[in-house]
Amino acid sequence: MTDLAIETEGLVKVFGTNRAVDGIDLRVPAGTVYGVLGPNGAGKTTAVKMLATLLRPDGGRARVFGKDVVGDADTVRGRVSLTGQYASVDEDLTGTENLVLLGRLLGHTRAAARDRSAQLLAAFGLADAADRQIKNYSGGMRRRIDIAASILNTPDLLFLDEPTTGLDPRSRNQVWDIVRAVVAQGTTVLLTTQYLDEADQLASRIAVIDHGKVIAEGTKGELKASVGSGSVHVRLRDPEQRPDAERVLQGALKAAVTLEPDPVALTATVNGHGTDLGAAEQAARALAELARAGITVDNFALGQPSLDEVFLALTDRPAETLADGPTDGLGEGTPTDRKGPTA
């Protein structure tokens, strides 16, 4: 037994001249949601495919619950399941037919497969759609049944690769609830995403990957603290004073100021590094400078940086919402999904 669900050391995958994964080290505690963030083509999906035994590493080592993903691949497959970026169920079959088929392939008797199918459809709010063809499901319903298919046999480790891409807010929240329920039953979840709020909501620890490397890792609080002590959000009474307010805040905080879409709103990072003043003291000094300049502030708030700000600071670009594509090093003919466990 091990306290780590996943442990990698210098994991590498090369496609031609492209090092899609370039020496990744990960330690994922069992029984948690571990988030992997990264821009399009960062190497997230390639890393997941190696951990799920779908791709063979070109360097380094990876272990799942202490078992090597190359030397003990069959054992690893028996303990993991993968839901990829796109639903892999059969469009022409009903929800029940899809789950019964997969249950039979996993070794269930016909009666057991039907019972398990009914349980999952009810648990995921799909009982009323059980006899409808998948091609008539909404996007959120497709993602829910895809995850249901992944836990027909409850896996010890579930890989969720961009599980809510393209979903509306309500459907995303439903998927989040499913993830929480799966973890509550003891399954470890490795979640790749480019939605910062998704990682903020679900993950206890997060690794940020860029150009095939882990460039930051820690809890949400640790990542936020690494790029600044907080942000001050200011709303003015007069939108014509915003240019002056921007200048005053830049001088007082020695930081870039963001002009919000709201014409009376500004946001600035309050960075405690290199100063004896804490975030609250710096914010108070900035507000005093605004008052001395005759700028009226209707309200203000001081908070931690968002994960969006962390992502931007670490990668020099905002989070994207496109799923990983060929730039992630997925070669022609590489499988995009695997349902498990397969042992």
Side-chain angles (χ1 to χ4, degrees):
M1 297 296 293
T2 175
D3 292 333
L4 294 177
I6 297 170
E7 186 176 14
T8 72
E9 301 167 359
L11 197 62
V12 172
K13 186 63 186 177
V14 180
F15 296 95
T17 59
N18 176 32
R19 293 178 71 86
V21 174
D22 191 12
I24 285 179
D25 297 331
L26 292 176
R27 293 171 64 86
V28 178
T32 65
V33 179
Y34 191 93
V36 178
L37 295 176
N40 186 42
K44 305 184 302 296
T45 296
T46 301
V48 165
K49 287 179 179 293
M50 286 189 284
L51 294 171
T53 75
L54 296 179
L55 288 176
R56 188 183 183 94
D58 293 321
R61 295 185 62 192
R63 290 179 289 274
V64 172
F65 296 107
K67 301 298 182 181
D68 187 83
V69 297
V70 176
D72 298 301
D74 287 343
T75 302
V76 171
R77 292 186 193 113
R79 302 191 66 177
V80 308
S81 190
L82 167 63
T83 295
Q85 294 172 12
Y86 307 100
S88 61
V89 289
D90 191 316
E91 296 274 312
D92 293 322
L93 298 182
T94 67
T96 294
E97 289 169 342
N98 267 287
L99 296 185
V100 169
L101 172 62
L102 289 168
R104 295 286 284 149
L105 291 172
L106 289 168
H108 293 268
T109 65
R110 186 176 299 277
R114 293 194 69 86
D115 286 346
R116 182 61 173 157
S117 169
Q119 291 172 6
L120 290 170
L121 289 167
F124 285 23
L126 295 170
D128 291 341
D131 296 326
R132 285 162 50 189
Q133 290 177 304
I134 297 298
K135 62 186 176 185
N136 296 319
Y137 280 21
S138 68
M141 294 166 69
R142 287 169 184 247
R143 295 310 287 151
R144 279 183 277 157
I145 198 165
D146 206 41
I147 296 173
S150 295
I151 60 172
L152 273 161
N153 286 355
T154 304
D156 294 319
L157 172 61
L158 175 61
F159 297 102
L160 292 178
D161 192 16
E162 308 276 2
T164 62
T165 297
L167 298 188
D168 61 81
R170 180 182 178 185
S171 296
R172 290 178 67 203
N173 285 329
Q174 290 173 336
V175 172
W176 292 354
D177 288 341
I178 290 170
V179 173
R180 294 185 184 104
V182 168
V183 175
Q185 294 177 355
T187 295
T188 304
V189 173
L190 188 141
L191 169 77
T192 74
T193 182
Q194 292 188 37
Y195 293 119
L196 285 303
D197 57 335
E198 186 160 85
D200 214 349
Q201 285 281 334
L202 297 175
S204 55
R205 295 190 70 83
I206 299 168
V208 181
I209 294 180
D210 196 23
H211 295 100
K213 298 177 181 291
V214 175
I215 59 174
E217 197 276 349
T219 65
K220 293 171 285 188
E222 289 169 347
L223 291 177
K224 291 175 180 180
S226 72
V227 300
S229 300
S231 297
V232 61
H233 307 277
V234 176
R235 284 182 58 83
L236 309 175
R237 181 168 299 173
D238 183 357
E240 293 187 359
Q241 289 188 318
R242 191 160 78 159
D244 292 335
E246 180 184 12
R247 174 181 52 77
V248 171
L249 287 174
Q250 285 175 338
L253 297 173
K254 303 296 188 291
V257 176
T258 300
L259 302 180
E260 304 292 346
D262 184 339
V264 296
L266 308 90
T267 298
T269 299
V270 183
N271 194 331
H273 302 311
T275 176
D276 293 332
L277 295 178
E281 290 82 359
Q282 289 187 69
R285 185 177 64 180
L287 291 170
E289 291 292 335
L290 289 171
R292 276 193 286 272
I295 297 170
T296 304
V297 175
D298 267 354
N299 60 58
F300 71 93
L302 178 65
Q304 276 192 317
S306 68
L307 274 181
D308 295 84
E309 292 168 315
V310 173
F311 196 97
L312 179 60
L314 293 172
T315 66
D316 294 324
R317 55 187 180 279
E320 300 168 0
T321 55
L322 296 175
D324 281 352
T327 55
D328 198 20
L330 301 183
E332 183 178 346
T334 300
T336 57
D337 273 276
R338 163 168 274 168
K339 295 300 172 196
T342 57

